[in-house]
Amino acid sequence: ICGEQDDLFAIAMQASVTVPTAEAADGGQQFAGDWTIGGDVLLLMELRWRWIVVTADVGGRFRKPADLGSVEVGQELLWGLGLTVPALPGTLEAYLEAYGTTTFESFGDRELSPVELLGGVRIWAQEGLSVALAAGSGLGTRGYGAPDVRGVLCFGWAAPPAAE
């Protein structure tokens, strides 16, 4: 929406659509995700200084409610907060992220408000390629889907900045 690569502040929007494909692959699956088409809409914000970047996002997940046995999950508030430290700018960065959800219907309910914390590092290679490794777990709320331990290995690509 606004903010260039070298600006102190940037703001953007993100929208995504989810399509249930697990049942098409194997009709006998359980706990394989949502059963209907849904979507997320998020407002993304970033505050950038030379040695630290603070990110925050907030938005909603919209889908048909699903009964997961002991809980029913429907429309949700999504949020995230992150800190990134470019240890070697353009080559190595360390990050810490907290994120979670809560249902609009039972806002803040412990079982319906999972919160996670992840810490990791990202190495940037040539031409916008990156590899990231992170680990974390669910925090005290222990809502549905919050893991005891989660590990993340990510291979990514971002378009290199345009030459001036």
Side-chain angles (χ1 to χ4, degrees):
I1 297 173
C2 75
E4 298 297 325
Q5 183 175 348
D6 294 330
D7 289 348
L8 175 65
F9 180 76
I11 189 167
M13 289 202 67
Q14 173 182 308
S16 60
V17 174
T18 57
V19 179
T21 57
E23 191 171 319
D26 179 358
Q29 291 196 45
Q30 293 183 7
F31 303 111
D34 290 329
W35 292 274
T36 62
I37 293 174
D40 298 351
V41 177
L42 290 162
L43 182 65
L44 313 169
M45 296 159 282
E46 193 170 76
L47 189 56
R48 311 171 186 134
W49 291 282
R50 182 173 180 189
W51 294 106
I52 193 166
V53 177
V54 178
T55 55
D57 41 271
V58 64
R61 175 168 292 142
F62 306 97
R63 61 184 173 196
K64 183 177 177 182
D67 185 356
L68 302 178
S70 64
V71 297
E72 182 176 291
V73 179
Q75 320 306 330
E76 294 177 300
L77 172 75
L78 310 174
W79 64 270
L81 183 62
L83 296 173
T84 302
V85 177
L88 298 171
T91 304
L92 176 69
E93 58 190 29
Y95 58 91
L96 184 65
E97 301 174 347
Y99 53 91
T101 66
T102 188
T103 64
F104 289 117
E105 187 174 312
S106 300
F107 196 86
D109 182 283
R110 181 181 166 112
E111 287 187 357
L112 298 173
S113 302
V115 176
E116 289 189 49
L117 184 66
L118 279 176
V121 294
R122 179 180 308 274
I123 299 170
W124 289 96
Q126 295 179 10
E127 305 301 320
L129 297 173
S130 69
V131 176
L133 184 62
S137 71
L139 297 181
T141 60
R142 310 305 274 170
Y144 79 97
D148 291 332
V149 176
R150 184 182 307 273
V152 178
L153 174 60
C154 176
F155 297 96
W157 179 79
E164 293 182 18

